[in-house]
Amino acid sequence: MVDAFDPEEKPGALAGLTHQDSQPDDVVLVLSNAPDVMLAKRIAHILVEESLVACAQVGSPMTSMYLWQGKLEGSTEIPLTFKTTATLVPALYLRLCQLHPYEIPEFLIQGIAAVSQPYQQWVRGNVRPSD
């Protein structure tokens, strides 16, 4: 198990990292998926172009197993990872739902305990300001 980031405990070990503490401009990861590569690339392109995310990663196809309406399903899906700020999560969710064919698209938000300051600034500089 990895301990939580504590800059006071190990000041030199994590030099250059910024502790994030639930602020609106904190960097977050959003995980989703798409049913095929072309749609995954389209979603990624649009979300970066519209500055809802600073970076969108399109992963390799994987098999997902899940229950849908009481029936076991299995399908190939393309994982998507987005880097954005906490304040843009609601707008990102709405836009993803517009672009996505699933009735319930996967939308998981991961908070980041610490991030390098240059990367944090890059993400913040490459997403639109909050409304």
Side-chain angles (χ1 to χ4, degrees):
M1 183 169 135
V2 178
D3 293 330
F5 172 68
D6 183 355
E8 302 299 321
E9 207 171 284
K10 301 175 190 171
L14 298 172
L17 293 183
T18 300
H19 178 70
Q20 297 196 125
D21 54 359
S22 300
Q23 297 300 312
D25 62 349
D26 279 356
V27 174
V28 297
L29 291 179
V30 175
L31 306 177
S32 191
N33 60 43
D36 61 70
V37 174
M38 291 302 293
L39 181 59
K41 288 179 179 181
R42 179 176 179 268
I43 289 171
H45 179 92
I46 289 170
L47 296 177
V48 171
E49 190 173 65
E50 293 179 359
S51 300
L52 286 168
V53 302
C55 175
Q57 294 175 309
V58 177
S60 297
M62 60 176 32
T63 301
S64 293
M65 303 300 294
Y66 52 92
L67 289 174
W68 182 248
Q69 299 176 342
K71 183 179 170 191
L72 180 62
E73 299 282 341
S75 61
T76 299
E77 295 182 310
I78 310 303
L80 291 164
T81 304
F82 305 114
K83 284 87 176 243
T84 191
T85 57
T87 193
L88 286 174
V89 166
L92 173 58
Y93 178 69
L94 290 174
R95 188 64 172 125
L96 181 69
C97 287
Q98 291 173 347
L99 299 169
H100 209 288
Y102 291 174
E103 186 177 331
I104 304 173
E106 177 182 16
F107 195 84
L108 305 173
I109 304 159
Q110 277 188 313
I112 306 299
V115 62
S116 72
Q117 190 171 21
Y119 192 80
Q120 183 185 55
Q121 290 172 346
W122 177 81
V123 170
R124 289 175 177 169
N126 284 285
V127 295
R128 68 182 185 204
S130 60
D131 297 330

